Amino acid sequence: MITNSRSARVARWVGILALVCWLLPAIGTAEVVYYYISLDKLTITEGALPVTDTGVEDMSWQRQRAIGSEMHPYVAMEAEDADAWLSYGTGQMWLPRRPMHPETAFLAVRASGEPPLVGTLFCPKADWSGMQAIRFKITEPPTDSAANREDVLEAKLDHYRRLMRSGGSGTAWFRHQVRETLHELGREDEVVDSGRARNLGNDMTRTFDLFTGGRALSENLQLDRDLFVRETDEGTSPISSLRGITVEDYDWTKEIEGKTPKKDALASYIPADDVAAFFPSLRAMKQCIDEGLHRGGAAMSLAQMRAEDAQTLSRYEQQLGMPLNDATAAMGDQFVKSVAVVASDPYVRTGTAMAVLFETKSPAPFRAALGTQLMKPSVKEVKEDFEGVSIHGATSGDWRISAYVAELDGVVVLSNSVELLHKIIETSQFPDGSVASAPEFTFFRDRYTLGDADESGFVVLTDAAIRKICSPAWRIGASRRTRAMAAMAELQAAHLRELVAGEVEKPRVLKNEELLTGLGEVTLTPQGVESSRYGSIGFLTPILHLDIERVTADEKRAYEWWRDGYQRNWTRRFDPIAVRLTLREDLLATDLTVRPLITRSNYREFMQICGDTQLQPGDGDPHAGSLVHFTMAMDPNSRPVRQVTNFAAQMAPNIGTNPLNWVGRWMAIYADEDPFWDDMQKAAEENGENGVEDFLESNWPRLPVVIEIESVNGLKLAAFMAALRAWIEQTAPGMTAWESLEYAGMSYVRIGATEQGRSSMGDDIDDFALYYAPTGKALILSLNEQQIQKALKRQASPAEGEKETPKAVVESLPGKSMVFEATQDAYRSFQRLTSNELLLQIQQSSWRNLAILNEWHREFGAQDSIAFMELWWGVRPICPGGGDFIWNEEFQTYESTVLGCPAIHPEKAPEDALPLCEFAHGRLGLTFEQDGLRAKTELIKAGAE
């Protein structure tokens, strides 16, 4: 009886427990509810909804583009199980110029809790100085949650599409959210296209690229032109059936005849078809890499849309077991005589086969020191002999650790690729295929003398290296890796929640998922997604290791289309590239040679104007007090100059058949120190962002800019100006007044408007006057009379002018075809002149990182979204202005400590945030030679002049 009673009680408790277990999921999971409410129907508890007139039209167009486009209204809900987005109607996006009307803008909410729901709407203030917070409350459940569902999901879709197309960090995650939302809407087949346009940079970016030779590198290598491939079917054509680059080699015989320059000892170990960089010491290599990483942020902020550090250096340091720090540099001083870095291609950021070669004083202890750093837990030790050389290595099997060491006659080689190490060993035994044997290397080492004290680094891309980079295997391999990276990034995003939750305890193979085609076996590991064929998003399998045998019909078509277009850029020959780097405490300099330039190069027009003429020291009137100075060689017999001559002769026959027969070898344009710039700065400080524009509108007639054209015959120049005056007075009688003036014993002329001219042309012409001085040396023109007088004084007293002018400016030129010089003051003034466009662009680039940082905080509760990004995506968002990203609790967003955020931002970014702002003076020069160019850049640090 007792037993039966006890059994009954046990059975009853089991039943109750089962009921509780059955009810728990229902208790813990509330029904998802969808709200779609126009803003004017919200219950506002604090603040007020925005007025319909946003005031954005009062902003300069530069500020509209850089700030207005980023100041999107957003919503933050208090409940963790509630998400909210703003909607402006189906298919409509919010635009700065389109006012946000509360009755036509909607709050779209997806929540699991019961009302009331509390949140905050952040939207721009009327003056766009920041954003305002509007607290609201939803007190009633939706009348038709099911009917609202599609509108809410459309709002979410529009939100993530905008972020996906913004060009900032986190594109893979935003694309996943778009794909996931389309799935919820039952539109899985809809194409997900980022639609992101390339950012080609601003005017300063393009100018800097032009003078440093960066434009030439981009044009010649065209690494940014990926193959457009749509098909993913299996390859059918052998890759050997594709013809690569067939442009003829350059014949260096005459160029190197009789030249026997000393060559780098390590050059005979490096395969000729690899990219090679040489350094005089391990410390110099560290300095060059550190400077490159530092300048990388500046280059990014000038020319790119995405501000992030790919952690490239730390990834290779971990992979090779060799941290590049002060301790390593000190070890190098003890053991190493010179260093070379070899890469199988330029794709260093995403993953390449790389090796570091050390010319050592004591190879055995140095090799032993490297070997002790290789063995770590979870790595496999590798030992093998290749061509009689012993190789010792360690690998984790996933490219996180991959290091192989070998010694070759006193040279120690450390590589992440055993295949590349094999190539280096073979080259050491058969040096005819080395960089040292390439005829262009002889030419470059004759030009850039080995052992020069100014050399901190020397990089060479031989003809063979460029041909390999442009070959079918490399271009198709790069295209496949790009597509594989995108697919793995989306898979990583799809499984991110379980990765973050620690639910992936051991690797598992992914099956029956989209995007797996062509990736080989794809595994989800605790560290993320990995492909047996392409590696991981942290480090893609180097193209050297892809072993591509067959290609698809679409890949074949795409490569042939690219190759044919690429080869049309060269008509005769195909040449290499070299650059010397100089790093000193007072100077950062580069010296680049690119030969030849492509047929449709941006430099062609300048090359035609310069012709065979070369600048000489002293050309262009170099002088102290010049903020910006541009000098260009000019060939009077060049086609562009002849075209201008013919045009002038046709328009004004009385000037003569050859009106420009006085023109000499150069033309200069410069802007000097002048009260004008101080007045412009004062206007900017007193009147904000519109101050410069208003100042220029009323003060442009005093712009201190001078144009000088060398004259080879003063009498012919005087005759030309007399004929020009007669022609102007004949074609516009009574409109101009010509007044002869004198300064320092030299004559100049003022051309102003008569009463008749002012009445017909308006009040804007009242203060206008053009001054010119035809001298025996040059024709000088300016709107500013004081600048004309200064130029005449320099001509009247050249010895006095030379005393004031730095000796280096007069006696040396960084280029023989074109020279551009600028001071730090000119750099800052240019920014004000363009409404601080570059500062605004830097601020915009910084703000594009905020969306993904906010997403990690909202979606995953990340207390440090920067660390979260590094852990799961291998990149670190950076502020190009030098600030840190921190969380702002009040506005529920990350912000930069220097550049702020859309909610709270400085009136303008501080000028110290400008890249290159620590340099006091910059000198850039181009020399056109043999259908190519030599570009020199000299950036002189503040305090060094």
Side-chain angles (χ1 to χ4, degrees), residues 476-495:
I476 292 173
S479 176
R480 288 185 180 183
R481 293 201 325 160
T482 299
R483 300 197 303 275
M485 170 73 91
M488 287 190 289
E490 287 215 30
L491 289 169
Q492 181 100 339
H495 293 276

Side-chain angles (χ1 to χ4, degrees), residues 818-856:
M818 298 165 63
V819 174
F820 178 82
E821 301 190 48
T823 65
Q824 187 183 80
D825 289 339
Y827 184 39
R828 297 181 188 275
S829 294
F830 179 82
Q831 287 309 306
R832 302 181 194 116
L833 194 66
T834 57
S835 299
N836 290 302
E837 181 183 355
L838 180 55
L839 282 169
L840 291 172
Q841 184 182 355
I842 292 171
Q843 189 171 47
Q844 184 183 33
S845 182
S846 175
W847 288 1
R848 285 200 179 105
N849 281 324
L850 303 182
I852 192 60
L853 297 178
N854 293 340
E855 191 81 359
W856 302 141

Side-chain angles (χ1 to χ4, degrees), residues 852-854 856-857 862-870 877 894:
I852 192 60
L853 297 178
N854 293 340
W856 302 141
H857 189 279
Q863 296 303 308
D864 185 348
S865 290
I866 306 294
F868 185 95
M869 195 84 175
E870 285 185 282
Y894 269 86

Side-chain angles (χ1 to χ4, degrees), residues 748-791:
Y748 66 101
V749 177
R750 178 185 187 274
I751 307 175
T754 63
E755 285 293 333
Q756 178 182 346
R758 285 193 290 271
S759 62
S760 62
M761 302 182 73
D763 295 337
D764 292 342
I765 206 69
D766 282 351
D767 299 325
F768 170 78
L770 174 65
Y771 299 87
Y772 76 86
T775 74
K777 294 182 178 180
L779 170 63
I780 310 171
L781 303 100
S782 180
L783 298 175
N784 189 300
E785 185 175 12
Q786 287 72 31
Q787 297 304 323
I788 287 285
Q789 292 175 353
K790 288 181 180 179

Side-chain angles (χ1 to χ4, degrees), residues 538-730:
F539 192 89
L540 293 174
T541 302
I543 299 174
L544 179 64
H545 289 249
L546 288 183
D547 194 23
I548 300 173
E549 295 183 356
R550 293 187 172 275
V551 298
T552 68
D554 207 28
E555 287 174 330
K556 184 174 184 292
R557 173 203 56 78
Y559 176 76
E560 290 175 343
W561 178 85
W562 176 86
R563 179 204 61 211
D564 292 345
Y566 182 72
Q567 291 202 135
R568 281 194 293 270
N569 290 321
W570 281 271
T571 55
R572 297 185 304 277
R573 58 183 185 266
F574 187 73
D575 282 357
I577 297 168
V579 59
R580 166 181 276 180
L581 310 174
T582 300
L583 295 180
R584 297 201 313 250
E585 290 185 1
D586 62 334
L587 178 71
L588 170 62
T590 63
D591 189 344
L592 169 73
T593 299
V594 180
R595 297 174 53 184
L597 296 170
I598 67 172
T599 304
R600 294 186 293 272
S601 171
N602 293 124
Y603 296 92
R604 289 294 170 188
E605 186 175 348
F606 295 107
M607 294 175 74
Q608 291 177 358
I609 295 173
C610 296
D612 295 328
T613 304
Q614 291 191 341
L615 296 173
Q616 302 297 325
D619 285 352
D621 188 15
H623 56 275
S626 181
L627 298 176
V628 176
H629 202 123
F630 168 73
T631 307
M632 180 171 66
M634 192 164 55
D635 184 354
N637 296 316
S638 66
R639 186 171 65 177
V641 176
R642 289 201 311 270
Q643 288 175 341
V644 173
T645 300
N646 295 336
F647 178 77
Q650 292 175 9
M651 292 296 295
N654 63 314
I655 295 180
T657 57
N658 188 9
L660 301 183
N661 56 2
W662 56 271
V663 172
R665 300 175 300 102
W666 55 262
M667 176 187 73
I669 304 174
Y670 56 85
D672 279 2
E673 295 173 348
D674 189 271
F676 177 92
W677 307 114
D678 295 330
D679 294 343
M680 187 178 73
Q681 171 66 17
K682 185 177 180 181
E685 293 172 352
E686 292 179 351
N687 302 305
E689 67 179 49
N690 293 322
V692 173
E693 186 175 340
D694 294 340
F695 175 81
L696 290 174
E697 187 174 339
S698 57
N699 289 275
W700 65 269
R702 31 181 303 234
L703 191 67
V705 174
V706 181
I707 298 175
E708 289 193 33
I709 303 173
E710 186 190 29
S711 168
V712 295
N713 190 310
L715 291 177
K716 290 182 179 180
L717 171 57
F720 169 77
M721 298 307 298
L724 180 63
R725 175 177 178 175
W727 177 74
I728 291 174
E729 291 180 334
Q730 180 181 355

Side-chain angles (χ1 to χ4, degrees), residues 520-532:
E521 184 176 85
V522 179
T523 307
L524 184 65
T525 75
Q527 292 78 35
V529 174
E530 295 179 4
S531 162
S532 61

Side-chain angles (χ1 to χ4, degrees), residues 342-364:
V342 184
S344 61
D345 51 55
Y347 304 110
V348 176
R349 175 169 172 158
T350 53
T352 187
M354 180 179 290
V356 185
L357 287 75
F358 305 91
E359 182 190 7
T360 63
K361 305 170 186 175
S362 304

Side-chain angles (χ1 to χ4, degrees), residues 122 151 154 180 246 306 315 327 332 556 588 596 640 783 834 892:
F122 300 95
D151 289 329
E154 286 287 355
E180 191 177 66
T246 59
R306 185 168 297 184
R315 190 171 293 122
K556 184 174 184 292
L588 170 62
L783 298 175
T834 57
Q892 293 292 292

